[in-house]
Amino acid sequence: MYLQKIKPFLTLGIFYLIVSFLLRLVFVFHPITTDHFSIGDILKVASIGLVNDIFVFTLASSFLAIYFLFLSNGKYENPFGKIILGLFVLAFLYVWLTPNNIFKQYGGSVIEIVLIFLGLKTILFALMLFSPKNRLKIRNSLYFITLFIYVLLIIFNAVSEYFFYNEFGVRYNFIAVDYLIYTNEVIGNIMESYPIVPLFSTIFIITALATWFIYKKTKDTLIDLPNFKQKIVLLFIFIILATISTFVIPKISYEKGNTFEKEIAANGMVKFYEAFTNNTLDFFKFYPTIDESLAEKNVLSALGINSLNRKVTSDIQPEVHKNVVLISIESLSADFLKLYGNKDGITPFLDSLSQQSLVFTNLYATGNRTVRGLEALTLCIPPTAGESIIKRENENKNKFTTGSVFKSKGYTTKFLYGGYSYFDNMKDFFGGNGYQIVDRDNFKPEEITFANVWGVCDEDMAKKAISEMNKDAKTGKPFFHHWMTVSNHRPYTYPDGKIDISPTSKSRNGGVKYTDYALKKFFEMAAKQDWYKNTVFVIVADHCASSAGKTELPMDKYRIPGMIFAPDFIKPEKFRTVVSQIDLMPTLFGLLHFNYDSKFLGQDVFSKNYVPRAYIATYQDLGFVKDNYLTVISPTKKIKQYQLFQKENKDQIQEYNIYYTENLVSDIARKDLEEQTISSFQATSYWLKEKKLNK
């Protein structure tokens, strides 16, 4: 008897489990999944995933349970039906006519949504009350719509997860939360990247067919509704199951698997919830720690200094106040360049420029997002747990930055961005740290020849940058301009006829090659300006194009190109030692012979105290690279250490071979590196918390 009553839950649940299983299979065989799965691995992942999905669906079916709880014929009998209808009418009038009701106080579209909901409920209840013979038809229609919404969400989530995995090689994480916040850019990106009409048409057709099948199998449930006693029993059972699910879901994991196994076994909605509720992580609560004074002492000793706030002095004088243009390039992995073995010829200009520049051949990005790259280049500190400092509105202002060093020397400082800088909180961060901001809002219509959702094309931004640099050069003051490119980003659209890869292909190679083309045009225009010979150009990626790999922090997904170009000033050479992204600007200050007060944790790589190491991180895994070891600390106080071995590549010179085998060390082999890792991230987190990294 009870089995018949829960038939909709069982049928819909089985559909959800089938979709989730098929999605996991797609992930297993997806090209981005570089690990090999045996039949046994697939069965393990599928089994853990099945348990995950059952408990998640139990919680997700809460709305369906509430819907069935209020299905009743008795409520339409006299006098209950007219009383309930009267209450609906009064509620509608209250929301509509009361000047300062609770819903109007929320502002936005809340009031309209509530009015539509109450209006529909009132009309439908009235129809079912006064037209008993049509009651079942109306109820069936509403039931079909309810099922349709559930099925649509299941399919739409599966499609969304596929595209997210296709881009990042993981389930939902912080980036998905950001995408939910920045809906304009994200929806625009989707519209421009994918064939939306065929895609959504297919989704709706599959949804309609699946809904009709489930509806036909379960609609008889609405003829003989549960009585009051049966509802109480079913509700009690559901509450118990939902409570169990709430406690069990956080404990389900695949601890022994590699990153791909863990991600594929996980449930996307759980991952999204975890990211949404943990966008900031308290280092001292979730990570391994040591005595704070020892952590600080270790970090300062490694830098060869006695105090965080110290005076940096150059052995060579006088200072050189050349203009500085820092170009951080969107998603430019090292393996896009010919230097690192790329044979597609997609960076011809950067390849040629590298022959005339100081090139850091062993440079590592701190993270896998633009805000991490901007943080490293601006604050010159290791990454911290949780979201980038740039996005922490209560912590991101009045910081000691590269811009503040330049301003102390009389420079004009600007941040140039072809998109709207409110995205990723860049406007708040750079504006709150004394930078002038030039973004899409500053473009006149005639200055834009091509744009997509991320901003004007890099060529248009290059022209705007030249205009801004000419303007600042006329003041007689040196200038520091930080330009962040945008074109090498999905949907990889750009003006037609510029390169030999059609923009209709919407390919990563096309995006890379167009940005390279735009940079070439920028330097051609710059070379014609009076200020050109008195300018130092720093070109570096913000992060790599992808972060997916077998381990938490795959080394090849953090290797980026970086170079400093200044004819007749910076000698072309290859700096082959390990360098962190946070070292780039302190190194530049050393080349300019600057004397300045510093709070940077990045180092001048040419100083006598330089110790090669790098920091690489996600929003929760924090890695320290030194002496061919990668030590990783993670939430719940986990510590892992990997020994790094370069993979054999006969076609590539060893120093440009970016691929490593990361062998997990069963017992921490280098305890000194474990302590250095904890010290670096702990001290940085402490100094940030205590505002010691402020100006």
Side-chain angles (χ1 to χ4, degrees):
M1 179 178 64
Y2 283 102
L3 202 60
Q4 177 66 24
K5 305 299 182 186
I6 62 171
K7 200 173 178 182
F9 293 86
L10 293 175
T11 311
L12 191 61
I14 290 170
F15 174 75
Y16 173 68
L17 295 179
I18 291 172
V19 171
S20 296
F21 173 73
L22 292 175
L23 183 63
R24 284 192 175 88
L25 278 184
V26 170
F27 289 164
V28 166
F29 296 106
H30 193 287
I32 206 171
T33 306
T34 54
D35 193 38
H36 172 72
F37 281 74
S38 66
I39 297 297
D41 293 331
I42 295 174
L43 290 175
K44 286 179 185 178
V45 167
S47 300
I48 294 171
L50 177 65
V51 176
N52 243 324
D53 296 338
I54 289 172
F55 286 115
V56 168
F57 181 78
T58 300
L59 287 180
S61 62
S62 299
F63 296 103
L64 192 62
I66 294 170
Y67 171 78
F68 272 98
L69 182 65
F70 287 97
L71 285 184
S72 168
N73 289 319
K75 64 186 178 184
Y76 297 106
E77 296 176 0
N78 279 324
F80 304 113
K82 292 178 181 177
I83 293 173
I84 294 172
L85 179 61
L87 291 174
F88 273 130
V89 172
L90 288 174
F92 181 84
L93 292 174
Y94 165 77
V95 175
W96 184 26
L97 301 175
T98 306
N100 196 30
N101 66 66
I102 188 172
F103 300 108
K104 287 184 179 177
Q105 291 173 13
Y106 276 99
S109 302
V110 174
I111 190 71
E112 287 84 1
I113 293 170
V114 173
L115 283 173
I116 291 171
F117 174 78
L118 287 174
L120 288 173
K121 286 292 292 182
T122 303
I123 293 169
L124 291 169
F125 190 88
L127 288 172
M128 296 176 78
L129 175 64
F130 297 118
S131 182
K133 64 180 181 180
N134 293 316
R135 190 173 298 164
L136 184 59
K137 290 181 181 179
I138 296 172
R139 184 176 287 153
N140 283 348
S141 299
L142 293 176
Y143 175 58
F144 182 87
I145 292 171
T146 303
L147 285 178
F148 185 88
I149 293 171
Y150 259 96
V151 173
L152 179 63
L153 290 174
I154 290 169
I155 294 175
F156 191 81
N157 176 67
V159 173
S160 299
E161 282 207 71
Y162 168 77
F163 284 120
F164 193 84
Y165 191 88
N166 185 61
E167 182 79 9
F168 300 104
V170 293
R171 295 274 194 170
Y172 294 140
N173 59 16
F174 258 1
I175 302 173
V177 177
D178 280 355
Y179 280 7
L180 186 67
I181 296 170
Y182 298 107
T183 52
N184 182 54
E185 282 79 2
V186 174
I187 292 173
N189 184 23
I190 293 169
M191 295 288 288
E192 294 174 353
S193 299
Y194 303 107
I196 291 301
V197 174
L199 179 63
F200 275 76
S201 298
T202 303
I203 289 173
F204 276 97
I205 289 170
I206 294 173
T207 300
L209 292 173
T211 303
W212 181 253
F213 176 81
I214 297 171
Y215 169 76
K216 294 291 284 185
K217 291 287 184 182
T218 61
K219 69 173 184 176
D220 291 345
T221 309
L222 302 184
I223 297 174
D224 183 20
L225 295 172
N227 57 37
F228 182 75
K229 179 183 176 181
Q230 291 171 332
K231 284 185 177 181
I232 293 299
V233 172
L234 290 171
L235 180 63
F236 180 72
I237 294 172
F238 181 80
I239 290 173
I240 291 175
L241 290 174
T243 303
I244 292 172
S245 300
T246 303
F247 283 101
V248 171
I249 288 172
K251 301 182 185 301
I252 302 174
S253 63
Y254 193 170
E255 289 296 335
K256 295 182 180 179
N258 62 38
T259 299
F260 284 117
E261 290 170 340
K262 291 176 183 178
E263 290 294 332
I264 295 172
N267 181 281
M269 295 314 297
V270 174
K271 298 285 286 185
F272 184 88
Y273 176 78
E274 289 174 351
F276 191 84
T277 55
N278 293 291
N279 58 348
T280 56
L281 293 172
D282 186 338
F283 182 93
F284 301 93
K285 179 179 179 181
F286 293 104
Y287 291 82
T289 56
I290 60 175
D291 177 75
E292 179 57 41
S293 60
L294 177 60
E296 293 184 54
K297 180 181 177 182
N298 287 341
V299 174
L300 296 176
S301 176
L303 292 172
I305 57 178
N306 297 316
S307 171
L308 173 64
N309 192 0
R310 75 279 185 189
K311 186 79 174 179
V312 176
T313 56
S314 173
D315 295 333
I316 304 174
Q317 291 298 310
E319 294 184 355
V320 180
H321 290 181
K322 287 182 175 287
N323 305 309
V324 175
V325 177
L326 168 60
I327 306 175
S328 47
I329 304 175
E330 173 68 47
S331 304
L332 189 72
S333 302
D335 59 4
F336 290 154
L337 271 68
K338 182 179 180 181
L339 188 69
Y340 298 94
N342 189 287
K343 294 179 170 57
D344 293 335
I346 54 177
T347 58
F349 174 71
L350 289 176
D351 291 335
S352 65
L353 194 68
S354 68
Q355 302 304 311
Q356 308 167 56
S357 306
L358 165 60
V359 180
F360 303 94
T361 65
N362 208 356
L363 174 64
Y364 287 90
T366 58
N368 50 22
R369 300 247 15 234
T370 295
V371 284
R372 280 296 189 204
L374 294 177
E375 175 188 273
L377 294 167
T378 306
L379 302 180
C380 306
I381 61 172
T384 49
E387 190 57 273
S388 164
I389 294 168
I390 288 177
K391 311 221 27 203
R392 303 180 201 173
E393 294 187 7
N394 296 324
E395 298 182 37
N396 67 0
K397 298 175 184 66
N398 197 37
K399 289 286 175 284
F400 183 78
T401 67
T402 51
S404 57
V405 173
F406 281 115
K407 290 192 81 170
S408 72
K409 303 296 181 184
Y411 280 67
T412 300
T413 62
K414 284 183 178 178
F415 176 66
L416 312 176
Y417 181 63
Y420 295 110
S421 58
Y422 71 79
F423 183 76
D424 266 349
N425 212 43
M426 290 184 281
K427 187 172 187 176
D428 185 61
F429 172 73
F430 283 103
N433 285 291
Y435 286 71
Q436 298 177 47
I437 296 172
V438 177
D439 66 1
R440 187 167 176 174
D441 283 327
N442 299 98
F443 278 76
K444 298 174 183 177
E446 60 270 21
E447 292 178 310
I448 302 174
T449 63
F450 181 91
N452 62 23
V453 68
W454 294 113
V456 303
C457 63
D458 288 342
E459 202 176 351
D460 287 346
M461 187 67 247
K463 294 173 184 175
K464 186 72 171 178
I466 295 294
S467 173
E468 292 294 322
M469 292 166 193
N470 285 340
K471 186 192 306 179
D472 288 343
K474 289 178 182 178
T475 66
K477 295 170 59 179
F479 59 78
F480 166 59
H481 286 194
H482 183 169
W483 167 22
M484 179 69 221
T485 73
V486 300
S487 290
N488 180 28
H489 195 298
R490 191 177 297 276
Y492 313 121
T493 55
Y494 42 85
D496 197 7
K498 302 293 183 177
I499 59 174
D500 57 3
I501 302 175
S502 172
T504 58
S505 68
K506 296 185 178 180
S507 67
R508 167 72 73 179
N509 276 7
V512 172
K513 193 162 189 176
Y514 173 71
T515 291
D516 183 83
Y517 167 85
L519 291 174
K520 178 184 178 183
K521 292 299 178 184
F522 169 77
F523 275 89
E524 287 176 352
M525 290 185 286
K528 298 175 182 177
Q529 313 306 319
D530 293 337
W531 47 261
Y532 175 73
K533 290 184 178 180
N534 193 40
T535 302
V536 178
F537 299 90
V538 183
I539 302 97
V540 62
D542 61 343
H543 59 86
C544 284
S546 170
S547 59
K550 294 181 182 180
T551 61
E552 300 95 331
L553 301 170
M555 293 286 289
D556 59 296
K557 304 300 184 182
Y558 289 85
R559 189 81 164 263
I560 56 172
M563 62 189 82
I564 299 177
F565 171 73
D568 303 323
F569 179 64
I570 303 294
K571 179 184 176 183
E573 66 172 299
K574 303 289 190 297
F575 188 86
R576 296 172 168 83
T577 308
V578 171
V579 175
S580 174
Q581 199 174 25
I582 71 173
D583 300 326
L584 205 57
M585 296 308 287
T587 299
L588 174 71
F589 293 144
L591 293 170
L592 294 172
H593 315 314
F594 276 9
N595 300 315
Y596 62 100
D597 292 320
S598 177
K599 293 186 178 183
F600 294 144
L601 300 177
Q603 305 172 73
D604 176 357
V605 301
F606 294 110
S607 70
K608 61 184 179 182
N609 294 322
Y610 179 63
V611 178
R613 84 282 170 263
Y615 304 93
I616 60 178
T618 62
Y619 65 93
Q620 62 178 6
D621 296 311
L622 307 174
F624 181 73
V625 180
K626 188 180 179 185
D627 298 341
N628 288 318
Y629 280 90
L630 165 62
T631 309
V632 182
I633 57 175
S634 306
T636 66
K637 303 186 185 297
K638 295 177 184 175
I639 305 173
K640 289 184 180 180
Q641 195 169 76
Y642 298 89
Q643 192 165 10
L644 306 174
F645 298 95
Q646 273 196 325
K647 293 182 179 178
E648 285 190 26
N649 187 346
K650 296 179 181 178
D651 297 327
Q652 184 61 285
I653 300 173
Q654 186 176 0
E655 69 173 286
Y656 304 130
N657 180 8
I658 70 173
Y659 298 101
Y660 285 85
T661 297
E662 299 180 16
N663 289 343
L664 181 64
V665 180
S666 56
D667 189 20
I668 303 297
R670 291 283 301 272
K671 291 289 184 181
D672 59 323
L673 294 180
E674 176 187 352
E675 185 171 302
Q676 277 188 267
T677 302
I678 296 171
S679 297
S680 297
F681 295 112
Q682 178 178 333
T684 304
S685 300
Y686 175 77
W687 288 327
L688 181 65
K689 182 180 179 181
E690 296 299 316
K691 300 187 184 302
K692 293 188 177 183
L693 296 175
N694 285 18
K695 282 195 293 188

